[in-house]
Amino acid sequence: MFFRSFGVQPFFSHRVSQRKRVIVACTTKSSEKSGGQLTFKWMKDGKDLPAKTQAKTFGDFSNIVIDPVSEEDSGNYTCAVTSGGLHDSYTAQLTVMVPPQWLLAPNDVSSFSGEFLVIKLADGFVTLSESEFLHLPSNGSVIMQQVSKVKGSLSVPGL
């Protein structure tokens, strides 16, 4: 059996910052309608759109507006189009970038030159690698060995 398709134009696949407005348009690549009116359906992660996301259809295209966008809006957005016997859809990922937040407020720590220094960090915000001078226990701490002060700055061998 042969299925004809009019193809949905690709839309975003990018990252946006939180508190911005995102407008996404969905239309077909072809004017083929198989004798019927185009019907659009938007979904996020395979489910109906959240209430805050507005979808509007204007004849041959449909759009969604997310204003303001937040981290919870990240996900896979699908535009499905049907007309008569034709059906097609397109899915794209929206990633909302948010600034890091302190899980633990920073505080001053002290160490004598050459001693251990332990700094508690939150998971996911710092990329460090273990070395002979830097240990990363599973509790989220960073243990630095042979800390010294060089020209007023903290110095750890290998960093």
Side-chain angles (χ1 to χ4, degrees), residues 21 27 55 59 63-64 69 72 78 86-87 90 93 112-113 117 121 124 145-146 149:
R21 178 171 59 168
T27 188
N63 69 16
I64 57 173
V69 71
E72 294 78 31
T78 301
L86 300 178
H87 173 82
Y90 180 79
Q93 184 178 39
F112 292 104
S113 182
L117 174 65
L121 300 174
Q145 296 181 15
Q146 298 186 10
K149 192 173 187 178

Side-chain angles (χ1 to χ4, degrees), residues 2-87:
F2 176 70
F3 291 100
R4 292 184 321 174
S5 172
F6 34 63
V8 175
Q9 286 280 18
F11 46 87
F12 69 74
S13 182
H14 61 277
R15 299 173 180 177
V16 297
S17 298
Q18 70 177 358
R19 294 190 294 272
K20 303 287 184 186
R21 178 171 59 168
V22 173
I23 300 174
V24 181
C26 176
T27 188
T28 61
K29 295 177 184 177
S30 162
S31 60
E32 174 72 41
K33 294 184 185 178
S34 187
Q37 190 71 4
L38 293 176
T39 303
F40 294 86
K41 177 168 177 60
W42 286 93
M43 293 171 283
K44 177 184 180 254
D45 298 327
K47 300 176 185 166
D48 289 337
L49 290 176
K52 84 172 232 184
T53 304
Q54 307 165 26
K56 295 182 181 177
T57 299
F58 306 92
D60 288 354
F61 75 96
S62 179
N63 69 16
I64 57 173
V65 178
I66 310 170
D67 188 16
V69 71
S70 64
E71 184 175 19
E72 294 78 31
D73 296 312
S74 291
N76 293 313
Y77 286 80
T78 301
C79 175
V81 184
T82 56
S83 177
L86 300 178
H87 173 82

Side-chain angles (χ1 to χ4, degrees), residues 41-158:
K41 177 168 177 60
W42 286 93
M43 293 171 283
K44 177 184 180 254
D45 298 327
K47 300 176 185 166
D48 289 337
L49 290 176
K52 84 172 232 184
T53 304
Q54 307 165 26
K56 295 182 181 177
T57 299
F58 306 92
D60 288 354
F61 75 96
S62 179
N63 69 16
I64 57 173
V65 178
I66 310 170
D67 188 16
V69 71
S70 64
E71 184 175 19
E72 294 78 31
D73 296 312
S74 291
N76 293 313
Y77 286 80
T78 301
C79 175
V81 184
T82 56
S83 177
L86 300 178
H87 173 82
D88 204 355
S89 65
Y90 180 79
T91 301
Q93 184 178 39
L94 174 67
T95 303
V96 180
M97 305 299 290
V98 295
Q101 297 177 353
W102 290 108
L103 297 180
L104 293 170
N107 56 2
D108 292 339
V109 294
S110 299
S111 177
F112 292 104
S113 182
E115 290 189 346
F116 286 96
L117 174 65
V118 178
I119 301 173
K120 182 77 173 163
L121 300 174
D123 290 336
F125 298 118
V126 178
T127 303
L128 296 172
S129 298
E130 287 251 4
S131 72
E132 64 180 294
F133 303 108
L134 187 66
H135 300 284
L136 307 169
S138 60
N139 67 2
S141 297
V142 174
I143 301 173
M144 297 178 221
Q145 296 181 15
Q146 298 186 10
V147 176
S148 60
K149 192 173 187 178
V150 177
K151 296 183 183 177
S153 296
L154 180 71
S155 175
V156 177

